[in-house]
Amino acid sequence: MNKYYNIDDILTDGQKIPVVFQLPVPGMGYLEHERSSSSGIKQGARIELPLWLAEMLAIGGISDELPTGFITVSAPAPFNNKVLNALSADPGSVDLRAQSMQFYKFAERWLAMTGDNALLDTVMDTFKARAAIVHDHAHNTRSALMTDRSEFLGTLDDTEIKLFKAAQEASKDLKRWTTMKK
Amino acid sequence: MYGDLAVKLVQDSKRTLSLDVLPSYQTDLVNAIIREIRDLQRDVKILIDQRGPNYRASQDRRVSCAIFVLQICMRRNKRCLLAYHRLRARRLETLVWSGFEASSIGSEEDSEGATALTERPSVASGWHPDEEEYLRGYGDVLAELKGEWTDIDLTGSMEPPRDLFIDVRVLKDAGEIQTEYGLITLTKNSQFYVRQGDVEQLIQQGYIQKLR
């Protein structure tokens, strides 16, 4: 129930995935180009569709005549090999925000659709490694890595930003509590 | 592309999450999205009519795909609209719980005073009349709930009081109040040493500021 109204989930649904249409569909040219609504989509056309559309089309169209469904989906840009290699090499150096504002939530949805174990392991390790760095930045306002700080903070995706804020609040509250007057 | 307007609305919601003040209601955007839903529905009707009375979705895959897409777009728009309104409604409810007075909506001279006082969000004009209606209705329901327990103020401050009497400064003219120690006239910038329980309500409403 919570996922329906959750703003971040709605934003995650807006992420785009490359798909291939398995059948020609008339009158839906607007999916491909902004203006032309009169032309149709040819069979085998490659288009980028948002997750809310792509997921339903991929799952919903399956029948005896068309066992592959209306479309087939392929891995979106944030999860291609280049990114995954960079992540397994050094998680802290990859700009997750440039890949996708909702990287982790997007990964969750993609993994739920496809169940790619390699991706799962990489994303989990990335999360753990980056969470440690985020935590460090949140607690030390004058860390040794001062010059990298604002750069790194600019590469955080939405989930990590929330983590960062939570860590900052926590350390502030702790300081306030320990120095509170009786 | 269908759903783009809805994305704008959701981005506004995302922004609202981090703001203290509820921004103005996006009437134009909401109306545009509703128009889009109507257009989509009209397109679906046209597609179904074209096939005639013998149309069955399982038979013609291509048309059913087109209708399916339109249907999903409608659902997406609906979801974005609902999420936007729910977020705003929740915000209004929080406002009521923090002691916001429905009567002070839209009055400009109150808003500067209000921001200076407490950490309460300042009054924002630009709300939809239905939202103000909701605020009032919810306030009434809450008042009814509070009325059941007169010993305790459910919307009062959560911090335990330090002293029995406190120093206060008056920020706005509020007339006179009756305390057990007599009548106190509240004129702007005057200071009083009063019992905490009496002025608690006035502090929440923003007429008085507590001095540390």
Side-chain angles (χ1 to χ4, degrees):
Chain A
M1 183 61 189
N2 202 23
K3 289 209 165 158
Y4 186 78
Y5 287 117
N6 186 322
I7 301 291
D8 291 322
D9 276 319
I10 298 181
L11 284 170
T12 310
D13 261 342
Q15 305 291 320
K16 300 238 169 167
I17 299 188
V19 306
V20 177
F21 269 82
Q22 298 299 315
L23 75 171
V25 191
M28 288 208 327
Y30 56 79
L31 287 181
E32 212 169 354
H33 326 283
E34 292 294 322
R35 309 278 164 176
S36 62
S37 58
S38 48
S39 62
I41 300 188
K42 300 183 276 294
Q43 181 155 357
R46 296 182 170 276
I47 309 179
E48 294 240 323
L49 289 183
L51 189 60
W52 53 270
L53 196 49
E55 193 171 20
M56 295 302 288
L57 282 177
I59 299 175
I62 297 181
S63 74
D64 292 333
E65 312 141 14
L66 206 62
T68 50
F70 290 126
I71 58 173
T72 51
V73 298
S74 35
F79 307 131
N80 64 23
N81 281 326
K82 197 160 148 254
V83 176
L84 293 183
N85 284 336
L87 282 177
S88 46
D90 182 9
S93 65
V94 178
D95 191 328
L96 280 193
R97 200 186 207 155
Q99 295 301 321
S100 162
M101 194 60 202
Q102 303 278 346
F103 188 82
Y104 292 107
K105 275 197 174 293
F106 191 23
E108 256 182 272
R109 300 290 298 270
W110 178 250
L111 287 166
M113 271 173 83
T114 57
D116 182 356
N117 278 326
L119 176 64
L120 175 64
D121 291 332
T122 312
V123 172
M124 292 274 283
D125 293 335
T126 309
F127 186 68
K128 287 184 219 164
R130 285 176 74 98
I133 308 177
V134 166
H135 198 83
D136 182 41
H137 278 291
H139 282 235
N140 304 325
T141 48
R142 286 187 314 259
S143 72
L145 309 163
M146 189 54 179
T147 48
D148 298 24
R149 187 182 149 90
S150 50
E151 251 179 66
F152 180 69
L153 294 184
T155 70
L156 299 182
D157 90 319
D158 203 53
T159 319
E160 289 172 340
I161 291 179
K162 285 199 195 125
L163 261 183
F164 181 73
K165 286 202 181 119
Q168 266 190 333
E169 289 293 307
S171 69
K172 250 196 330 204
D173 282 343
L174 184 63
K175 278 207 189 79
R176 196 155 31 111
W177 186 76
T178 49
T179 57
M180 207 165 62
K181 287 200 289 228
K182 277 286 165 163
Chain B
M1 173 61 193
Y2 298 120
D4 285 342
L5 291 169
V7 166
K8 288 211 190 89
L9 203 60
V10 174
Q11 278 163 350
D12 185 85
S13 305
K14 180 83 180 165
R15 224 174 19 101
T16 314
L17 280 177
S18 48
L19 287 176
D20 282 332
V21 187
L22 196 62
S24 13
Y25 187 77
Q26 303 266 22
T27 322
D28 296 332
L29 206 49
V30 169
N31 285 335
I33 296 179
I34 296 182
R35 261 199 300 275
E36 192 176 292
I37 298 181
R38 292 237 170 85
D39 288 342
L40 286 165
Q41 183 164 16
R42 202 193 50 213
D43 288 342
V44 171
K45 193 165 187 318
I46 291 175
L47 276 175
I48 294 187
D49 286 341
Q50 266 175 2
R51 309 310 296 169
N54 296 325
Y55 173 73
R56 280 175 43 214
S58 51
Q59 294 198 321
D60 193 335
R61 312 270 313 153
R62 290 171 299 167
V63 175
S64 70
C65 180
I67 295 181
F68 193 33
V69 169
L70 294 173
Q71 169 81 292
I72 300 173
C73 291
M74 278 196 271
R75 288 288 165 97
R76 171 75 175 175
N77 283 337
K78 176 185 176 187
R79 183 184 183 188
C80 296
L81 281 174
L82 285 178
Y84 178 71
H85 288 90
R86 187 178 190 260
L87 180 69
R88 292 181 72 92
R90 283 290 144 106
R91 269 301 171 87
L92 292 172
E93 288 165 22
T94 329
L95 275 180
V96 176
W97 273 99
S98 69
F100 187 74
E101 283 299 301
S103 55
S104 60
I105 293 171
S107 46
E108 279 308 313
E109 77 274 15
D110 277 348
S111 58
E112 300 136 27
T115 36
L117 309 170
T118 57
E119 303 85 53
R120 256 192 319 118
S122 63
V123 172
S125 44
W127 292 347
H128 197 262
D130 284 343
E131 293 184 334
E132 295 176 14
E133 188 76 36
Y134 183 77
L135 197 66
R136 259 187 281 273
Y138 195 84
D140 291 339
V141 172
L142 188 62
E144 222 179 284
L145 177 69
K146 284 201 286 187
E148 297 202 24
W149 292 280
T150 46
D151 310 332
I152 171 172
D153 181 11
L154 287 174
T155 57
S157 163
M158 294 289 273
E159 277 183 25
R162 298 292 169 99
D163 312 289
L164 193 55
F165 285 86
I166 54 171
D167 270 316
V168 291
R169 175 183 294 137
V170 182
L171 292 162
K172 292 187 281 207
D173 287 331
E176 302 176 335
I177 53 164
Q178 182 73 256
T179 67
E180 20 179 305
Y181 293 91
L183 200 65
I184 300 185
T185 318
L186 299 170
T187 49
K188 197 168 176 193
N189 288 328
S190 55
Q191 287 187 230
F192 295 103
Y193 188 64
V194 286
R195 192 182 254 258
Q196 183 141 357
D198 296 332
V199 295
E200 191 70 54
Q201 253 245 323
L202 293 164
I203 294 179
Q204 255 199 345
Q205 285 175 353
Y207 289 106
I208 290 185
Q209 185 188 27
K210 193 163 91 163
L211 298 173
R212 302 210 171 269

